[in-house]
Amino acid sequence: MSAPRTTPWPLVALFTAGYLAPYLLPTLVGRLDAFLPVSATQAGAIGSALLLSSATAGFLLASLVERAGPRRLARAGLLLAVTGYGTAALLHAVPAVVAGAVVGGFGSGTVTAVAATRIAAERDPHRASALGLLGVSALAGAVYLTVPHLGPGHGLPPAAIALTAMAVWPFTGRLPAAAAVPRARRERAPLPHLGAGLVLVAVMPFWSLAQNALWGVSGRIGLTQAHLTEATVGAVFAVALGAGLLGVLGAGALGPRLGHALPVGAGTVLIAGCIVVSASATGLPAFAGGEIAWNACYPIVLSYLIGLAASLDPRGRWAVLVGSASSLGTAAGPLTGSLLSAQAGFPAMGAILAAGLLLIAVPMTAVALRAGRRPLPVVEIAVESPAPRTATAA
């Protein structure tokens, strides 16, 4: 008889805290542009610096989570997030805001690395990642609905991220304090499925760049090209993230029954079409339709990509490396979107991003097809005696 599935709430909470900054990127960049003495391109560059710092943390920590101890590393990441985003929220000097964003981004990346590593060791990593995306989408939607009504200022989005990191701290008590695998075994184990993993690491920056080039300028598309108010744009984003919640719920319910190839390949093609519609919007119907459809597809495909990476290595190293590669693209997204839109306009930006997505859909689908034909290994993972679990999420 198989053991009943338990919900890994600490990992869901950490996933939410780690991914919240990218989800809040449009309002974070938009408010920096509106309330600090920086240009739109400079505001996008600050967002890119934050996400690049997050990606750097992931690459540095991919193989160190178990060695350093998940609990200790998660707490260090949360402390950096609170300090960095809190500084960016409270201070108005541009250098201090930039420094706070970079420190906070490193904290987010550290927390995400711990969550990804532990999720990969779960019996059902796709379900755990889907729950994490569900949490971050719900929280981000609440922030988008709330922030426009709390007044002006650049500090509200980073303050929301800092407060989330503080709220997640108690969950770290249920993480292992020390490594679960003997040191000798950890140091000798090579990365499995090297070719498939390297392909994912190579293409994920471009996949994420396309998503976040649009996401980083979506607020400006709504305000300047579609001529909407901030409150209306915020409401569209909240509804869009709600659609994402429904999509993730559906993906979680289906689980691996669809395999990975169909959601990854067909989903990426659908995302390309949504980007074209959103970037070309000149009114509320097209803007809302493009953003809502895109947000419904994006987390579904992302959840399957995370599950695909986790299936390549039960120790979670490919999951962290692929997630960090994704963060590199996420980091370049705001600046890329700002530069493309400034030079060519929003519609041309959308067409360029969509064409790139169609190209990289081919190797991503090929990896997913190969993974679907390969039986997953049975892995024994030694763990310390867990505390009693109780059900208690950007």
Side-chain angles (χ1 to χ4, degrees):
M1 181 180 296
S2 60
R5 293 192 302 180
T6 56
T7 301
W9 291 114
L11 303 184
V12 173
L14 286 175
F15 191 103
T16 300
Y19 267 86
L20 185 59
Y23 268 67
L24 294 184
L25 201 61
T27 186
L28 193 150
V29 171
R31 286 201 162 225
L32 290 177
D33 179 24
F35 298 107
L36 288 182
V38 296
S39 67
T41 301
Q42 289 170 331
I46 295 173
S48 292
L50 183 161
L51 297 170
L52 180 60
S53 180
S54 180
T56 301
F59 280 116
L60 291 176
L61 301 172
S63 61
L64 299 178
V65 173
E66 296 298 338
R67 190 179 309 170
R71 184 189 304 169
R72 181 188 308 166
L73 207 56
R75 287 178 173 176
L78 292 173
L79 182 60
L80 287 174
V82 171
T83 302
Y85 294 123
T87 298
L90 294 174
L91 301 183
H92 293 79
V94 173
V97 172
V98 173
V102 170
V103 171
F106 197 90
S108 291
T110 302
V111 172
T112 302
V114 175
T117 300
R118 301 299 299 174
I119 283 173
E122 290 287 310
R123 294 180 58 215
D124 189 351
H126 179 266
R127 176 174 178 268
S129 60
L131 286 171
L133 288 169
L134 196 66
V136 72
S137 297
L139 182 56
V143 172
Y144 277 114
L145 284 175
T146 305
V147 163
H149 303 287
L150 297 180
H154 76 282
L156 291 173
I161 305 171
L163 290 173
T164 300
M166 293 175 63
V168 166
W169 183 281
F171 288 92
T172 61
R174 294 168 60 188
L175 295 174
V181 181
R183 182 172 182 172
R185 288 172 57 191
R186 292 198 311 269
E187 291 177 346
R188 294 173 188 162
L191 278 169
H193 310 303
L194 189 61
L198 288 176
V199 170
L200 280 184
V201 169
V203 300
M204 276 304 293
F206 300 99
W207 189 86
S208 292
L209 183 146
Q211 317 300 322
N212 290 280
L214 172 71
W215 190 233
V217 299
S218 286
R220 287 164 48 205
I221 293 173
L223 293 171
T224 63
Q225 183 172 277
H227 308 293
L228 307 175
T229 65
E230 184 187 16
T232 302
V233 171
V236 169
F237 287 159
V239 173
L241 290 170
L245 290 177
L246 296 177
V248 172
L249 283 172
L254 287 171
R257 284 192 287 272
L258 289 178
H260 289 103
L262 180 61
V264 169
T268 298
V269 172
L270 287 174
I271 287 172
C274 295
I275 287 177
V276 170
V277 172
S278 183
S280 303
T282 57
L284 178 58
F287 179 73
E291 291 290 327
I292 291 170
W294 174 68
N295 274 277
C297 294
Y298 166 75
I300 296 174
V301 179
L302 180 59
S303 72
Y304 278 96
L305 285 170
I306 294 171
L308 175 60
S311 74
L312 297 177
D313 177 22
R315 282 180 51 187
R317 290 167 294 175
W318 279 127
V320 176
L321 289 172
V322 168
S324 298
S326 175
S327 294
L328 282 178
T330 302
L335 185 57
T336 301
S338 295
L339 290 174
L340 282 176
S341 60
Q343 296 298 319
F346 294 121
M349 176 203 73
I352 293 170
L353 297 176
L357 279 177
L358 294 177
L359 285 176
I360 66 170
V362 177
M364 293 171 70
T365 305
V367 170
L369 284 170
R370 289 185 61 190
R373 291 195 295 264
R374 181 175 55 242
L376 297 181
V378 177
V379 180
E380 292 184 4
I381 300 176
V383 296
E384 61 181 27
S385 298
R389 298 186 179 217
T390 57
T392 34

